[in-house]
Amino acid sequence: METIHMQPSQYRKLAGCTLFITGASRGIGKAIALKAAKDGANIVIAAKTAEPHPTLPGTIYTAAEEIEAAGGKALPCVVNVREEEQIISAVEKAVKTFGGIDILVNNASAISLTGTLETATKKVNLMMDVNVRGTYLTSKACLPHLRKSKNPHILNLSPPMNLNPIWFKNHCAYTISKYGMSMCVLGMAEEFRGEVAVNALWPKTAIHTAAMDMLGGAGIEKQCRKTDILADAAYCILTKPKSFTGNFIIDEVLLREEGVKDFDVYAIAPGHPLIPDFFLDVEIDTTAVKQKGYGAAQALKEEKTESAPAKPSGPVAETFRVIQGAMTEENVRSTQGIFQFELSGDGGGTWYIDLKNKGGSTGFGKPPGTADVVMSMSSADFVKMFTGKLKPTMAFMSGKLRIKGNMALAMKLEKLLTQLNSKL
């Protein structure tokens, strides 16, 4: 389904323009490519997947077929952005084929939502190489050609740099790598002001892609929007004059400013609550488009007040007592998992819910068997989660909840909570 919010006189603004898009064989990169292809744009698909992947959809060649079918011209190039020669060779091929490059979209990205001690060095290297170095080197290779274009743009899929420590503590390496992409925007927008527009785009909510399925498991898509919202927002940015530069744009905020009122068209399940994306404080109004510093001291103060324990020790013990009373054999049979909770703050420590062994049980201390899932959070957030005031997925995405172990079982617990909340 196509959603166009432009006036007829504004159609085909990207006709004849050449877009170099990294990671365009699937997901957000491909959605941006298809939107531009409808105008008759030339698309360089700079992505790794040449042979079908065992679990991920699409290759550079299947994406090329879709782009041509949508009305664009496609040039599929095998590019792993970790390899500078592959970037340079694809840029040369693009210039030779289409006569230049007008737009670069740095979309390729690697993710590992792991703490410092859990992140393997090869994963750290991957995120730094793809997200920061890949973005930097692809920009560097394209810039001499972009400077010759009439209305050149670089667009990085990266967030506003929110320095609230909550966004660093659970996945420090990933955050550094994404903010590295945003720093490229900050620096290059100023360096090439008047010549090339450089902006960042980030979604307000989780977006349904293969990556999101991998992170969130089955059923997560109902809490996501389609890639179309980012494609529409990207189109809007890339058709603005090059004087529009140095902005950190949130998709929904920009589209509202452009007059879009119906956001249900972008929902996978209209009316279903949506997960806010990483790096955006839900409590903070995200309408500010220009990058603003977020004082670390202020952030620390806010974080401390936010996770202040609800009441001394009582609520946690009481919550476990109520869970024990609400448990049924059916819950045990359908869940088959042991959950361990590492709670910080008043009434904290190690607690467990055993939904594997006969009758089920809860208690303080280590569980009566190896835990399938270990969840770490503050006591206050734990009580909120078990009384329906905080959804586990929301807690996970906003960094309040860390999960180690079997993600599918963690998702099962969320379903169980909905049933239990009526009793809590």
Side-chain angles (χ1 to χ4, degrees):
M1 184 194 86
E2 187 195 352
T3 33
I4 289 192
H5 306 287
M6 315 292 162
Q7 297 307 312
S9 63
Q10 292 177 286
Y11 282 175
R12 296 183 59 78
K13 279 188 166 181
L14 296 179
C17 284
T18 298
L19 286 80
F20 190 103
I21 307 179
T22 66
S25 58
R26 63 180 70 91
I28 293 161
K30 187 177 83 171
I32 294 171
L34 289 171
K35 178 83 180 174
K38 291 183 180 116
D39 274 12
N42 309 317
I43 314 286
V44 184
I45 306 159
K48 283 199 322 253
T49 315
E51 298 295 320
H53 190 277
T55 53
L56 298 170
T59 68
I60 55 174
Y61 306 111
T62 58
E65 284 166 19
E66 288 181 58
I67 286 162
E68 304 261 346
K73 288 201 177 80
L75 176 66
C77 297
V78 177
V79 177
N80 175 352
V81 294
R82 299 178 85 173
E83 308 294 338
E84 191 181 13
E85 326 70 78
Q86 292 183 18
I87 298 168
I88 292 166
S89 144
V91 167
E92 284 169 359
K93 209 186 284 183
V95 173
K96 202 163 154 189
T97 308
F98 298 124
I101 296 171
D102 303 289
I103 290 166
L104 163 63
V105 179
N106 284 307
N107 163 73
S109 198
I111 184 169
S112 179
L113 299 176
T114 44
T116 302
L117 300 177
E118 292 82 50
T119 313
T121 303
K122 66 174 192 177
K123 274 276 196 281
V124 178
N125 291 343
L126 177 71
M127 290 189 279
M128 301 302 165
D129 284 357
V130 173
N131 303 359
V132 192
R133 186 174 175 272
T135 293
Y136 184 90
L137 292 180
T138 309
S139 304
K140 184 184 176 191
C142 289
L143 271 160
H145 306 288
L146 289 166
R147 290 170 101 171
K148 297 174 189 163
S149 167
K150 280 202 242 357
N151 195 38
H153 275 264
I154 294 177
L155 182 62
N156 291 358
L157 271 290
S158 70
M161 284 179 287
N162 181 346
L163 297 184
N164 183 339
I166 198 165
W167 299 115
F168 289 82
K169 70 173 192 180
N170 292 331
H171 36 72
C172 191
Y174 175 63
T175 300
I176 291 170
S177 71
K178 289 309 284 189
Y179 286 9
M181 293 175 74
S182 299
M183 285 176 168
C184 288
V185 172
L186 210 52
M188 292 177 195
E190 210 48 55
E191 186 179 358
F192 299 99
R193 187 173 290 281
E195 290 187 278
V196 180
V198 188
N199 294 291
L201 172 62
W202 194 245
K204 185 170 180 178
T205 72
I207 300 294
H208 186 232
T209 60
M212 185 48 74
D213 276 339
M214 183 184 76
L215 291 171
I220 194 88
E221 71 280 352
K222 289 196 187 75
Q223 294 166 277
C224 300
R225 280 178 173 160
K226 301 171 189 167
T227 52
D228 298 11
I229 188 164
L230 282 167
D232 285 357
Y235 183 92
C236 195
I237 296 161
L238 301 173
T239 52
K240 286 184 185 292
K242 64 183 177 189
S243 55
F244 181 80
T245 191
N247 300 292
F248 290 78
I249 297 141
I250 304 299
D251 56 0
E252 182 181 314
V253 175
L254 176 72
L255 292 171
R256 280 194 193 282
E257 283 171 6
E258 297 292 318
V260 178
K261 291 191 172 58
D262 177 15
F263 285 85
D264 271 355
V265 293
Y266 296 119
I268 301 264
H272 206 282
L274 298 161
I275 304 169
D277 205 2
F278 297 101
F279 312 116
L280 305 177
D281 293 331
V282 185
E283 305 76 15
I284 290 174
D285 182 14
T286 54
T287 46
V289 172
K290 280 280 176 196
Q291 178 66 40
K292 294 215 174 25
Y294 188 79
Q298 173 66 15
L300 269 165
K301 199 167 80 193
E302 282 179 25
E303 196 187 19
K304 282 188 181 124
T305 52
E306 185 188 291
S307 60
K311 284 182 199 137
S313 72
V316 173
E318 177 61 13
T319 305
F320 276 104
R321 200 184 60 72
V322 177
I323 294 165
Q324 172 80 61
M327 261 184 207
T328 65
E329 280 290 0
E330 179 45 40
N331 296 150
V332 176
R333 200 164 42 249
S334 61
T335 310
Q336 283 300 294
I338 297 176
F339 302 86
Q340 184 173 321
F341 297 87
E342 295 297 338
L343 305 179
S344 57
D346 286 352
T350 302
W351 294 78
Y352 70 86
I353 299 175
D354 176 0
L355 286 165
K356 188 181 261 180
N357 299 306
K358 188 169 166 54
S361 63
T362 69
F364 182 71
K366 292 270 184 211
T370 312
D372 300 293
V373 182
V374 179
M375 296 182 165
S376 312
M377 64 197 310
S378 76
S379 305
D381 286 332
F382 170 82
V383 174
K384 279 186 202 160
M385 193 166 91
F386 275 86
T387 49
K389 296 190 184 80
L390 177 68
K391 282 185 79 74
T393 317
M394 187 83 88
F396 176 67
M397 292 293 281
S398 64
K400 291 177 179 175
L401 164 65
R402 290 176 73 170
I403 301 175
K404 281 187 205 162
N406 185 328
M407 277 305 267
L409 266 178
M411 301 300 286
K412 265 193 187 178
L413 186 67
E414 173 154 18
K415 279 201 190 116
L416 187 65
L417 282 191
T418 3
Q419 301 162 19
L420 281 179
N421 281 339
S422 52
K423 301 178 188 173
L424 289 168

